């Protein structure tokens, strides 16, 4: 039975039913009974595996095909009418051509299967910033994940109303999970997403990257707000005030970890606390008081499992202890729980590795094999998180004081620096580059440009995206958040990280907050404001972060920066301008000014 009278929804569902020809159509109302029945069904068919219900109540396991374990950027398209509207960072195809190519692939694809119709809201129900999507899918895994990641079910239709046409049409079929026929396609001008032949995370949970970033960034440009690949956290200071910060790091570069940070002992004693509002995506809009407000459109965390442990990210681990779906981690067959590299130092001897083979985990990992896929993930409800912010469901969002950019850089970029102003900060965002990770298919560890950590997610022309950033700065004026850059990943000659990272990143947040409050001086350098000697608090880690190491962490190496500038000139010209991207003159001017300052 359909859950809405909205004729736009009903018409679209009729169309996709006629196209995909499912045996039956099930509308997902979000009720407990319905979800329990779906879980049972998925367990009975083997699509999901039930884990130890005493140790991990409500938790399920899922394995995707080895060819289907990460986002596929080379098969992801932005289909705007005009090629120049997709711009140089996206694969483009004419929408009519793409519809013509994909329609036969969807024709009858759900014969013998059930179609699930999932209404969902990105953002708290009733929030002026929230938006509705409807995803149809032939995967129970998708339904159960969407339940965790979004506000799913009837409530979303209540938000949409009976007449609105403002919902994103999300069509997913796992089809045959054929990598040669895999397509992740956004049609921004049609409010539509078509995904086929994948059953993995970011390719199929269409509310996430496809809608909340690719489609939403396009909507944000047109409607005057921003959709960004950013965590949102609150730092409660000893005086009780909470300062909110967003941070954009590329995939698998530390957003979930920073968002759930536990402050070092000294800070805890002083009364500092960190609260998580979001770990991956921020929608931001100017509020009535002129400041920038952010909501997390998601309702859960789709986090990287490997490396997560009680020490590195206690709050993330705690979030996965119930009602969580684990994808492509390893199974500990002794007690039917989960394991991944970095959880602890004891790989289970009786293990099933992520592809499904029974192995002796100790021997297997000793040979250099991995039990869990490097991009294995947990899908955990936000309410499980011990440090979830009391403002998590605030429909108005939280006011942002600072925006942080960062990436994985072995050299060049210091631990932290502050931009001179919003325009300079926008330049810094445009210049983010980072070593690639397992979150997307392709080589790992290759330095690539990833402006604002949004390279795979900007749903339109990157030049227009930068212009939109500059326009937002104009609008926000002196109420604009201050913009910073951080690098947790600086290495020594032997390739070891020289900054302890994780909870100790609080020390950098502390400096950032003081800069926002204007209570700490800084050194004005060619690249921006840097901490003065001794201003990054190293109490308790003096042995690890000696003054010499701190000097290295904060060094601005002129030769490396001259190289960086040459690369940015090449990037702006060859990768952007020559390929149809309009680099705003204000950003070119920032590059000139940076070079002039360095050569002074
Ligand atoms: P996506 O979900 O793909 O967007 O990733 P993310 O940005 O949320 O990254 P996440 O926090 O899951 O971290 C990814 C990897 O980086 C994990 O293996 C972490 O252990 C590692 N990491 C996170 N923070 C730090 C840090 O401060 N220092 C170091 N050295 N590694 C870190
Ligand atoms: C990312 O790759 O940035 C993720 C995981 O957060 S996915 O949802 O697969 O995009
Ligand atoms: Mn992400």
């Amino acid at each position: 039975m359909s859950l809405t009278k909205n004729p736009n929804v009903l018409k679209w569902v009729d169309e996709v039913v006629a196209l995909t020809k499912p045996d039956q159509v099930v509308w997902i109302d979000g009720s407990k009974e319905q979800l329990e029945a779906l879980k049972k069904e998925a367990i009975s068919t083997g699509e999901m595996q039930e884990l130890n219900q005493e140790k991990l109540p409500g938790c399920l396991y899922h394995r995707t095909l080895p060819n289907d374990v990460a986002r596929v950027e080379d098969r992801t398209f932005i289909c705007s009418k005009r090629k120049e509207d997709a711009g140089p960072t996206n694969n483009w195809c004419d929408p009519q051509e793409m519809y013509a190519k994909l329609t036969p692939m969807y024709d009858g694809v759900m014969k013998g299967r059930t179609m699930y119709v999932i209404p969902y809201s990105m953002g708290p129900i009733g929030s002026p910033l929230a938006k509705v999507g409807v995803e149809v899918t032939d995967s129970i895994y998708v339904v159960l994940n969407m339940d965790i990641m979004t506000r799913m079910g009837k409530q979303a239709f209540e938000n949409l109303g009976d007449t609105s046409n403002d919902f994103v049409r999300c069509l997913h079929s796992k089809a045959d999970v054929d990598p040669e026929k895999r397509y992740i396609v956004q049609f921004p001008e049609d409010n539509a997403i078509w995904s086929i032949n994948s059953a993995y995370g970011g390719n199929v949970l269409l509310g996430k990257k496809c809608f909340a970033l690719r489609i939403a960034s396009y909507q944000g440009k047109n409607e005057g707000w921003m959709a960004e690949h950013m965590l949102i956290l609150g730092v409660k200071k000893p005086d009780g005030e909470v300062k909110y910060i967003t941070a954009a790091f590329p995939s698998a570069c530390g957003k979930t970890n920073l968002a759930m940070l536990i402050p070092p002992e000294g800070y805890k004693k002083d009364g500092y606390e960190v609260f998580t509002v979001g770990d991956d995506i921020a929608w931001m809009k100017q509020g009535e008081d002129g400041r920038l407000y952010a909501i997390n459109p998601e309702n859960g965390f789709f986090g990287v499992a490997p490396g997560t442990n009680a020490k590195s990210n206690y709050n993330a681990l705690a979030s996965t202890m119930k009602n969580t779906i684990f994808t492509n981690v390893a199974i500990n067959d002794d007690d039917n729980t989960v394991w991944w590299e970095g959880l602890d130092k004891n790989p289970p001897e009786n293990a099933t590795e992520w592809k499904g083979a029974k192995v002796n985990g100790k021997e297997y990992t000793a040979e250099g094999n991995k039990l869990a896929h490097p991009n294995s993930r947990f899908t955990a409800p936000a309410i499980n998180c011990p440090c979830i912010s009391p403002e998590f469901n605030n429909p108005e969002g939280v006011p942002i004081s600072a925006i942080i950019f960062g990436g994985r850089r072995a050299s060049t970029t210091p631990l932290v620096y502050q931009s001179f102003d919003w325009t300079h900060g926008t330049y810094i965002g445009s210049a983010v580059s980072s070593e690639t990770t397992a979150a997307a298919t392709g080589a790992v560890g290759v330095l690539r440009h990833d402006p604002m950590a949004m390279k795979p997610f900007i749903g339109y022309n990157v030049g227009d995206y930068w212009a939109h950033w500059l326009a937002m700065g104009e609008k926000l004026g002196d109420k604009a958040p201050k913009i910073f850059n951080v690098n947790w990943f600086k290495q020594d000659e032997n390739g070891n990280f020289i900054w302890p990272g994780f909870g100790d990143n609080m020390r950098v947040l502390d400096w950032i907050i003081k800069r926002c409050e204007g209570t700490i001086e800084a050194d004005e350098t060619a690249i921006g404001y840097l901490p003065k000697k001794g201003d990054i608090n190293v109490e308790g880690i003096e042995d690890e972060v000696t003054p010499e190491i701190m000097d290295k962490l904060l060094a601005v190496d002129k030769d490396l920066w001259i190289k960086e500038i040459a690369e940015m000139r090449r990037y702006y010209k060859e990768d952007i301008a020559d390929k149809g991207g309009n680099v705003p003159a204000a950003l070119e001017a920032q590059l000139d000014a940076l070079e002039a300052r360095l050569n002074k």
Side-chain angles (χ1 to χ4, degrees):
M1 222 200 32
S2 66
L3 296 169
T4 178
K5 290 198 207 77
N6 187 309
N8 305 303
V9 174
L10 295 175
K11 176 166 173 281
W12 175 70
V13 171
D14 282 348
E15 281 166 18
V16 289
V17 167
L19 174 60
T20 61
K21 305 178 179 61
D23 280 11
Q24 53 165 341
V25 178
V26 172
W27 291 71
I28 300 297
D29 59 20
S31 68
K32 233 182 142 135
E33 301 73 51
Q34 189 184 40
L35 290 167
E36 282 308 317
L38 286 173
K39 275 184 198 170
K40 279 217 178 78
E41 185 182 337
I43 292 165
S44 74
T45 61
E47 182 179 354
M48 315 280 292
Q49 180 178 328
E50 189 163 56
L51 292 163
N52 184 324
Q53 292 302 295
E54 259 148 51
K55 293 188 174 169
L56 296 169
C59 291
L60 297 174
Y61 178 82
H62 178 75
R63 190 175 278 127
T64 63
L65 289 181
N67 74 40
D68 190 31
V69 293
R71 285 183 292 100
V72 279
E73 296 181 5
D74 55 332
R75 310 201 63 97
T76 299
F77 288 78
I78 299 295
C79 295
S80 45
K81 282 201 191 76
R82 303 184 329 158
K83 184 169 191 220
E84 54 268 42
D85 289 337
T89 56
N90 287 306
N91 299 314
W92 175 84
C93 175
D94 172 78
Q96 292 321 315
E97 208 177 294
M98 187 57 94
Y99 284 129
K101 175 155 137 179
L102 295 186
T103 298
M105 290 168 59
Y106 282 101
D107 189 0
V109 76
M110 292 193 198
K111 270 187 197 151
R113 300 183 185 181
T114 300
M115 173 189 280
Y116 303 97
V117 182
I118 312 170
Y120 66 95
S121 169
M122 298 310 287
I125 297 289
S127 165
L129 282 91
K131 284 187 177 281
V132 170
V134 183
E135 175 161 355
V136 302
T137 179
D138 49 10
S139 159
I140 296 181
Y141 173 75
V142 168
V143 176
L144 298 178
N145 272 274
M146 289 295 281
D147 176 46
I148 299 172
M149 295 305 296
T150 73
R151 280 90 171 168
M152 184 186 84
K154 243 163 101 170
Q155 51 180 348
F157 278 143
E158 281 157 24
N159 231 27
L160 182 68
D162 281 345
T163 54
S164 172
N165 196 23
D166 184 13
F167 67 98
V168 180
R169 295 146 165 80
C170 308
L171 170 57
H172 169 247
S173 172
K174 57 191 173 189
D176 308 316
V177 201
D178 178 349
E180 302 301 320
K181 294 185 185 150
R182 185 168 298 153
Y183 286 92
I184 316 299
V185 184
Q186 285 67 204
F187 302 93
E189 291 144 4
D190 299 342
N191 242 354
I193 302 162
W194 286 23
S195 160
I196 192 160
N197 276 303
S198 174
Y200 170 77
N203 298 331
V204 301
L205 309 180
L206 300 184
K208 196 171 175 58
K209 296 301 172 34
C210 302
F211 174 178
L213 288 179
R214 297 195 189 100
I215 298 284
S217 62
Y218 169 81
Q219 295 175 330
K221 177 201 55 158
N222 293 331
E223 298 164 11
W225 53 282
M226 309 166 91
E228 298 294 336
H229 192 200
M230 291 178 177
L231 67 94
I232 312 166
L233 63 79
V235 178
K236 186 166 162 201
K237 301 183 302 161
D239 66 7
E241 192 200 356
V242 184
K243 287 265 192 245
Y244 293 96
I245 296 173
T246 65
F249 309 148
S251 300
C253 289
K255 288 183 301 301
T256 301
N257 278 271
L258 188 66
M260 299 180 187
L261 167 158
I262 295 180
E265 279 311 317
Y267 280 91
K268 271 201 260 182
K269 229 184 278 155
D270 288 346
Y272 282 91
E273 261 183 277
V274 169
F275 296 105
T276 309
V277 181
D279 82 324
D280 198 51
I281 299 177
W283 285 359
M284 303 191 289
K285 192 177 185 176
Q286 188 172 31
E288 274 168 21
D289 62 0
R291 297 186 65 188
L292 189 63
Y293 282 74
I295 62 161
N296 171 11
E298 301 190 282
N299 201 26
F301 309 118
F302 186 61
V304 178
T308 307
N309 60 55
K311 194 165 172 280
S312 67
N313 195 344
Y314 167 84
N315 288 316
L317 194 63
S319 305
T320 66
M321 289 297 146
K322 58 180 183 195
N323 303 329
T324 291
I325 297 170
F326 296 92
T327 303
N328 295 337
V329 302
I331 304 267
N332 178 346
D333 289 319
D334 285 336
D335 63 354
N336 193 26
T337 56
V338 287
W339 196 86
W340 50 75
E341 277 66 25
L343 175 65
D344 56 41
K345 296 205 169 83
N346 305 305
E349 285 183 31
N350 279 316
T352 305
E353 50 83 92
W354 69 271
K355 293 190 288 315
K358 298 257 183 211
V359 293
N360 178 324
K362 275 205 171 50
E363 290 169 6
Y364 192 76
T365 50
E367 283 164 22
N369 298 312
K370 297 221 186 297
L371 282 177
H373 187 274
N375 191 41
S376 55
R377 300 250 169 187
F378 53 80
T379 319
I383 47 163
N384 282 3
C385 182
C387 62
I388 194 72
S389 167
E391 304 299 319
F392 175 69
N393 281 312
N394 184 336
E396 306 299 327
V398 293
I400 301 304
S401 298
I403 293 174
I404 305 176
F405 292 117
R408 278 176 195 266
R409 295 296 303 268
S411 69
T412 313
T413 324
L415 177 64
V416 60
Y417 66 105
Q418 181 187 359
S419 67
F420 294 118
D421 54 33
W422 180 278
T423 305
H424 180 220
T426 303
Y427 167 77
I428 291 172
S430 80
V432 169
S433 35
S434 190
E435 290 157 21
T436 50
T437 67
T441 54
V444 167
V446 182
L447 192 66
R448 75 158 182 186
H449 288 275
D450 192 348
M452 281 81 171
M454 281 286 281
K455 162 158 196 308
F457 309 122
I458 303 167
Y460 59 106
N461 190 310
V462 61
D464 298 335
Y465 169 78
W466 288 334
H468 181 51
W469 262 83
L470 294 169
M472 287 298 298
E474 290 277 314
K475 207 157 76 168
L476 292 161
D478 62 2
K479 301 255 171 63
K482 304 275 187 280
I483 300 180
F484 298 80
N485 194 89
V486 301
N487 180 16
W488 314 140
F489 298 95
K490 241 185 161 178
Q491 294 177 11
D492 63 16
E493 307 72 38
N494 305 319
N496 302 311
F497 296 125
I498 58 173
W499 173 248
F502 300 100
D504 287 309
N505 293 331
M506 178 67 216
R507 302 165 189 277
V508 173
L509 296 184
D510 180 19
W511 184 79
I512 287 174
I513 288 169
K514 289 184 172 133
R515 287 297 297 165
C516 292
E517 292 176 329
T519 54
I520 201 167
E521 296 289 306
D523 284 334
E524 186 171 339
T525 75
I527 67 166
Y529 297 116
L530 263 86
K532 283 188 173 298
K533 241 187 192 8
D535 276 354
I536 298 290
N537 171 11
V538 290
E539 202 189 307
I541 52 166
E542 299 92 340
D543 291 351
E544 205 177 335
V545 186
T546 60
E548 297 75 59
I549 296 219
M550 188 52 81
D551 284 348
K552 274 193 199 163
L553 283 164
L554 295 177
V556 180
D557 181 321
K558 187 173 163 184
D559 292 344
L560 290 178
W561 276 89
I562 294 287
K563 267 196 210 142
E564 186 90 355
I565 287 169
E567 171 52 26
M568 274 307 289
R569 284 207 192 284
R570 188 207 62 74
Y571 172 66
Y572 273 176
K573 178 170 188 310
E574 291 175 18
D575 293 2
I576 307 297
D578 289 355
K579 297 198 169 128
N582 207 342
V583 180
L587 295 190
E588 297 274 14
Q590 285 291 330
L591 186 52
D592 293 342
L594 172 61
E595 185 169 38
R597 288 194 302 267
L598 268 166
N599 285 322
K600 207 158 67 187

